[in-house]
Amino acid sequence: MNEGNAGKPPGAMAGPPRRTVTALEAAERVSGPTPLAEAPETIVEVRNFNLYYGAFQALKNINVKIVRRAITAIIGPSGCGKSTLLRSVNRMNDLVPGVKTAGQILVDGEDIHGLGAEPVALRKKVGMVFQRPNPFPLSVFENMAFGPRIHGTFRKSEIHEAVERGLRAVLLWDELKDRLKASALSLSLEQQQRLCIARLLPVKPELLLMDEPCSALDPLATERVEELMQEMKENYSIVVVTHNMQQASRVSDHTGFMLLGELVEFGETREIFTHPHDHRTEDYITGRFG
Amino acid sequence: MNRWSERMIEAAIRFSGFVSIAFVVMIFLFLLTEGHALFRVTGLTDFLLGRNWHPISTPPQFGILPLLLGSLAVTAGASMMAVPLGIGTAVFIAEVAPKRLAGILKVGVELIAAIPSVVIGFVGMVLVAPVVREFFSLPVGLTAFTGSLMLALMSMPTMVSIAEDAIHAVPRQYKEAALAMGATRWQAIYRVILPAARPGILAAVMLGIGRVVGETMAVMMCTGGAVAIPSTLLQPVRTMTATIAAEMGETVRGSPHYNALFAIGIVLFLITLIINVTADLVIHRGRRDSP
Ligand SMILES: Nc1ncnc2c1ncn2[C@@H]1O[C@H](COP(=O)(O)OP(=O)(O)OP(=O)(O)O)[C@@H](O)[C@H]1O
Ligand SMILES: [Mg+2]
């Protein structure tokens, strides 16, 4: 990373510390088309959104703005619609027969249900991490190469580079660089979940949706995945569904509390956990129900 | 009481396992005793690589190369048609077709297995052969190709149902993950589901081919029966199975001709054994790779 300075005499390096400069450069390189300063504050805006599974209304008039390059946590008791909301943002609910929606979801200002909006393009921009690690039953390398391949990158050198960069981003490269040909299913659960995050990165998503990403992991692995999320929010926007209140308060900047298909309260995490406005939120976070 | 019945059941299961192995061994021994005498008349190389099958001329010649190649031509032709079609059908049923259509197709394909092979042979002879003759402007329509067509049809039930099971057994989460990354349905099938189902699909192909190699009646009726080394699929051929079936009635027990037909049986037995063992190895290697 610093080889550019290697030849220079030490005296030439006056001024700001080197590390800061390289970190910024790196951030710019990964961040893709929109430089930090110009990107709008909101990456996802949900407007009056309703979702029905047949006759059952699972989401009721949801309104929320998700902030870019921050971690947003969604909490709430089982069956309140957290996963449904998350899966609405990348239109995975399209695959469920009998689903009807009303209202709008804007990603980067564009209506994802609008005319000419393609799920394929949307899902390239919006990656998803599932509750149970679900790497493909292929090699580590093939898992990482899948994204570039389906989106039209076939040059070997480009794919190799993408594989390495993705694995480095989730701190798996050193562990796995000699095991790229091994089956992804032979990895530990934590490694599998990291791989599932890593394989999204080569197609340069802006938003990562994580549905209880740590619920299959032990506490130590959970802690490390949380650290990874913290690191990744420099370059990505993250929405994480969790049952674990400590996790929400530890990792997130904003928190939404859902109950029976409604988004009861949304705000800064510190605010939600210390001064909730709604008594139902307070009941939930103090463990009175759920 | 309970322990006792448990033990009885276990013994019964073990017994039936041993019985089926014992049958296989006994059949092989039977083939050997009836067939080995041929090798006093004809050497192994002359038998396997001899170009002339003249069992009733004097002196008789027992070279089965034309028959081996006949079987090979028919099998290869059938596989080339059946494998893509069978896997395609399996994918269509398991992943693409709406539920109702998938159900109908499944039953339809399985019904093929219920057609007696003599009926398939009959259809091939009377309906398909004239079309083949017209289409390729041949002197006769009974060719290796005609037999291949009918055999491809006959191998479909085995191939499709095993391949479909294998595709169906791939957990949904893989497909979901692929689609969530922006893969199209076809990309998810081609890049994730088929590789994940590969061991089962290979087994389906192997067992389908095994079915083709051993089939007798339909090929006897459709391939024309000429004992000649084929240079294209559009010539009449005679397979090993057809030779045994056609000539067994005319032989005298214990004669060299009789022994030769059994020796062909040994060759067939070994070929199907190799195919099945390979299929088995493929399945097990697949299991080990993806625990
Ligand atoms: N495919 C479906 N068909 C019908 N109803 C569904 C379907 N999926 C979910 N639901 C219902 O919608 C409601 C919300 O489900 P969802 O999975 O979004 O809840 P959740 O908050 O993620 O719960 P959990 O914490 O248990 O994961 C539940 O009542 C559930 O029963
Ligand atoms: Mg859920």
Side-chain angles (χ1 to χ4, degrees), chain B residues 74-226:
Chain B
V74 174
T75 307
S79 311
M80 278 189 300
M81 292 180 263
V83 170
L85 193 63
I87 296 177
T89 309
V91 168
F92 185 73
I93 291 177
E95 289 292 332
V96 183
K99 263 213 172 78
R100 265 183 67 89
L101 180 59
I104 295 171
L105 268 177
K106 240 180 117 155
V107 174
V109 171
E110 272 154 24
L111 270 183
I112 298 176
I115 306 174
S117 68
V118 66
V119 172
I120 290 192
F122 192 65
V123 168
M125 209 168 152
V126 176
L127 293 180
V128 181
V131 176
V132 170
R133 192 189 58 210
E134 288 289 306
F135 190 81
F136 295 102
S137 349
L138 301 170
V140 282
L142 298 174
T143 63
F145 177 73
T146 318
S148 298
L149 271 178
M150 303 324 283
L151 281 181
L153 182 70
M154 293 180 78
S155 68
M156 289 293 276
T158 316
M159 226 179 264
V160 172
S161 66
I162 296 177
E164 200 247 336
D165 281 349
I167 293 170
H168 226 90
V170 176
R172 288 198 56 77
Q173 47 174 355
Y174 299 139
K175 189 177 163 190
E176 199 168 45
L179 295 177
M181 288 178 71
T184 60
R185 180 158 69 172
W186 167 242
Q187 286 172 326
I189 290 171
Y190 171 70
R191 295 201 176 272
V192 176
I193 296 174
L194 285 183
R198 194 175 56 191
I201 290 175
L202 284 176
V205 168
M206 293 290 204
L207 294 173
I209 291 177
R211 174 98 176 75
V212 167
V213 173
E215 172 51 36
T216 309
M217 188 52 79
V219 278
M220 196 154 81
M221 293 168 76
C222 297
T223 55

Side-chain angles (χ1 to χ4, degrees), chain A residues 87 92 95 120 123 130 134-138 146-147 149-151 154 183 199-200, chain B residues 173-174 176-184 187-188 191-192 195-196 289-291:
Chain A
R87 292 165 59 91
M92 283 302 278
L95 306 172
V120 167
R123 290 172 190 157
F130 295 79
N134 58 355
F136 303 126
L138 308 171
F146 181 79
R149 287 203 177 120
I150 61 171
H151 293 297
F154 296 105
S183 166
R199 73 178 167 189
L200 302 174
Chain B
Q173 47 174 355
Y174 299 139
E176 199 168 45
L179 295 177
M181 288 178 71
T184 60
Q187 286 172 326
R191 295 201 176 272
V192 176
D289 276 358
S290 44

Side-chain angles (χ1 to χ4, degrees), chain A residues 77-84 86-87 131 211-212 241 243:
Chain A
S78 197
C80 67
K82 306 181 294 292
S83 299
T84 304
L86 210 60
R87 292 165 59 91
Q131 187 167 356
D211 195 347
E212 304 187 41
V241 165
H243 263 134

